[in-house]
């Protein structure tokens, strides 16, 4: 397994639409190693999520997961998930703004509007279906990660730039802000 360098905003590879993975290809060593590398890289930098394009692989794979942390009681835990070929359905037209950051946009935080309730479907690393209905922080993380698969980074979703800035200025007392990445 390898901890990869994470591409930063400005790299054109982050703007591409990622390719789906054929289900019969999921068990291949190439895809299994990609998943292991994504998880290892995400944990190495203490991220809440990571998408394959962020390590330069233009395939529809995202990983995410976040333990509930008593320092951030508002951010619910999200189970470790490997999600391949995701599809998101909106279950509410309501959007809510909350803080996000991104490993590809280091040092920056912004309030980003996201849909409050979604259903997401896809495949896990065994090729088994995932079908979940989620709200709040979990829904936010999934929308953020799946955006990476269509070439969208969170600054491209910001509506109100009065809530956009440097983490060290916005959250001077926190080593990490409670954000989706
Ligand atoms: Ni991100």
């Amino acid at each position: 397994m390898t901890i990869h360098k994470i591409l930063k905003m400005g790299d054109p590879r982050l703007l591409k639409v990622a390719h789906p993975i054929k289900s019969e290809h999921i068990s291949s060593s190439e895809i299994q190693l990609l998943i292991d590398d994504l998880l290892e890289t995400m944990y190495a930098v203490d991220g809440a999520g990571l998408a394959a394009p962020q390590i330069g692989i233009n395939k529809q794979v995202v990983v995410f997961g976040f333990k509930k942390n008593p320092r951030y009681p508002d951010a619910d835990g999200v189970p470790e998930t490997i999600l391949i070929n995701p599809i998101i359905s909106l279950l509410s037209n309501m959007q809510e703004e909350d803080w996000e950051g991104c490993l590809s946009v280091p040092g920056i935080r912004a309030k980003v509007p996201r849909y409050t309730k979604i259903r997401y479907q896809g495949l896990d690393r065994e090729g088994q279906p995932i079908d979940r209905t989620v709200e709040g922080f979990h829904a936010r993380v999934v929308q953020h990660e799946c955006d990476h698969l269509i070439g969208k980074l969170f600054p491209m979703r910001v509506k109100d730039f009065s809530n956009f800035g440097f983490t060290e200025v916005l959250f001077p007392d926190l080593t990490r802000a409670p954000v989706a990445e």
Side-chain angles (χ1 to χ4, degrees), residues 89-92 94 115-119 133-136 139 143:
S89 318
L90 305 181
L91 298 180
S92 162
M94 272 223 337
Y115 292 99
T116 54
K117 191 170 182 188
I118 62 166
R119 175 186 183 189
T133 295
V134 297
E135 300 178 63
Q143 288 169 84

Side-chain angles (χ1 to χ4, degrees), residues 49-51 54 101-105 144-145 148 152-154 180-181:
L50 189 64
Q54 291 180 278
C102 182
L103 298 168
S104 293
V105 193
H144 177 118
E145 296 312 326
H148 280 296
K152 296 282 183 202
L153 297 162
F154 82 86
E181 286 171 324

Side-chain angles (χ1 to χ4, degrees), residues 21 26 31-40 42-43 48-52 59-66 78-86 120-132 138 141-142 145-146 149:
I21 295 172
I26 291 174
I31 299 301
Q32 293 296 314
L33 188 63
L34 167 61
I35 291 165
D36 289 337
D37 285 359
L38 282 168
L39 289 169
E40 194 178 31
M42 176 178 79
Y43 288 125
L50 189 64
K59 294 186 190 302
Q60 291 185 16
V61 188
V62 301
V63 300
F64 51 86
F66 182 86
V78 174
E80 182 188 285
T81 302
I82 293 121
L83 184 61
I84 299 166
N85 302 345
Y120 66 91
Q121 294 161 280
L123 300 172
D124 69 12
R125 70 182 303 165
E126 272 86 45
Q128 297 300 310
I130 293 175
D131 187 344
R132 294 179 183 155
H138 191 153
V141 171
V142 172
E145 296 312 326
C146 292
L149 304 181

Side-chain angles (χ1 to χ4, degrees), residues 1-29:
M1 289 191 287
T2 313
I3 295 171
H4 287 259
K5 192 165 169 241
I6 296 172
L7 305 183
K8 291 183 188 169
M9 191 174 189
D11 191 306
R13 288 173 286 179
L14 290 170
L15 302 177
K16 290 183 173 171
V17 175
H19 300 294
I21 295 172
K22 290 196 177 78
S23 55
E24 62 268 26
H25 195 205
I26 291 174
S27 61
S28 69
S29 54

